[in-house]
Amino acid sequence: MKEMILLRHGETEWSRDGRHTGRTDLPLTGKGENQARALAPLVKGRTFDLALVSPALRAQRTADLAGLTAYDTDPDLWEWDYGGYEGITTPDIRRTRPDWYLWRDGVIPGDTEHPGESVEEVAARTDRLIDRARAVDGDVVLVAHGHYLRVLCARWLGLAPQDGRFFRLDTGTYSRLGFEHGEPVVLAWNAPV
């Protein structure tokens, strides 16, 4: 692999409002659609040996508006399953768990559609994806979600999955992972268009 381009999907109503959005499939807002369109110069005219998108409609819509014309969806790119915290904001969670922090404390079990996932389970998915990306010769593009991509970045660098907490990632931004002297590095992070 030469370079991995990471695109975080555009804004949704829940991402705008700070609500944990794992497996709930929400559309992009108007702003989110504009953010997705603004990503087009990053992919225009480029050939990707691997182009993968989360099954979430918000990620697929972002890919389409950014101009990715050929990609596969991969369930390994789903956002962290927030379990019982799906749709809930951090301030609301802290009303009953005052010191709660996702990266340290994880999530509580939810219903059958949102059973919840540990950070280690998210990391297992990112590790599979990294192995898959490293097996190609050229460039890779992924369209996915904030917490998922933060874990992926940590794992790319050989860090613990909890270290994803150090890599804030806003909606509609791009990041680039690659190599320096054969070692994994961050080439750009949370870059606005």
Side-chain angles (χ1 to χ4, degrees), residues 115-137:
E117 199 175 22
S118 70
V119 70
E120 291 81 12
E121 290 170 313
V122 178
R125 294 191 286 116
T126 66
D127 289 351
R128 284 193 299 268
L129 198 289
I130 289 169
D131 289 343
R132 190 171 172 193
R134 286 186 172 190
V136 304
D137 291 327

Side-chain angles (χ1 to χ4, degrees), residues 35-46 48 65-67 174 193:
Q35 289 174 323
R37 284 185 197 95
L39 295 168
L42 299 166
V43 299
K44 185 177 181 178
R46 289 190 69 165
F48 295 100
L65 291 172
Y174 74 94
V193 180

Side-chain angles (χ1 to χ4, degrees), residues 146 149-150 153-154 157 159 163-169 186 189:
L149 292 172
R150 292 169 69 176
C153 181
L157 297 172
L159 302 172
D163 289 338
R165 71 186 183 275
F166 297 122
F167 304 104
R168 178 187 164 125
L169 192 58
V186 174
W189 192 257

Side-chain angles (χ1 to χ4, degrees), residues 22-193:
R23 305 300 167 93
T24 302
D25 218 353
L26 299 170
L28 299 177
T29 62
K31 177 182 177 181
E33 292 206 352
N34 289 335
Q35 289 174 323
R37 284 185 197 95
L39 295 168
L42 299 166
V43 299
K44 185 177 181 178
R46 289 190 69 165
T47 301
F48 295 100
D49 286 6
L50 183 63
L52 298 174
V53 178
S54 163
L57 294 178
R58 61 192 181 271
Q60 292 179 53
R61 181 71 174 148
T62 297
D64 294 340
L65 291 172
L68 283 174
T69 56
Y71 59 82
D72 292 319
T73 59
D74 188 323
D76 274 345
L77 273 80
W78 265 114
E79 178 60 294
W80 192 329
D81 182 342
Y82 298 116
Y85 293 145
E86 181 76 9
I88 301 175
T89 66
T90 296
D92 286 340
I93 295 166
R94 287 183 174 167
R95 286 193 179 101
T96 57
R97 292 184 70 184
D99 296 325
W100 179 81
Y101 185 53
L102 175 66
W103 297 98
R104 179 188 57 236
D105 303 319
V107 301
I108 59 172
D111 58 24
T112 56
E113 291 185 30
H114 308 94
E117 199 175 22
S118 70
V119 70
E120 291 81 12
E121 290 170 313
V122 178
R125 294 191 286 116
T126 66
D127 289 351
R128 284 193 299 268
L129 198 289
I130 289 169
D131 289 343
R132 190 171 172 193
R134 286 186 172 190
V136 304
D137 291 327
D139 292 333
V140 173
V141 62
L142 306 177
V143 183
H145 312 275
H147 283 120
Y148 175 87
L149 292 172
R150 292 169 69 176
V151 173
L152 185 140
C153 181
R155 300 302 298 143
W156 175 257
L157 297 172
L159 302 172
Q162 296 86 345
D163 289 338
R165 71 186 183 275
F166 297 122
F167 304 104
R168 178 187 164 125
L169 192 58
D170 298 321
T171 58
T173 57
Y174 74 94
S175 301
R176 295 172 39 235
L177 304 178
F179 298 94
E180 181 181 55
H181 306 298
E183 295 297 321
V185 296
V186 174
L187 301 170
W189 192 257
N190 199 32
V193 180

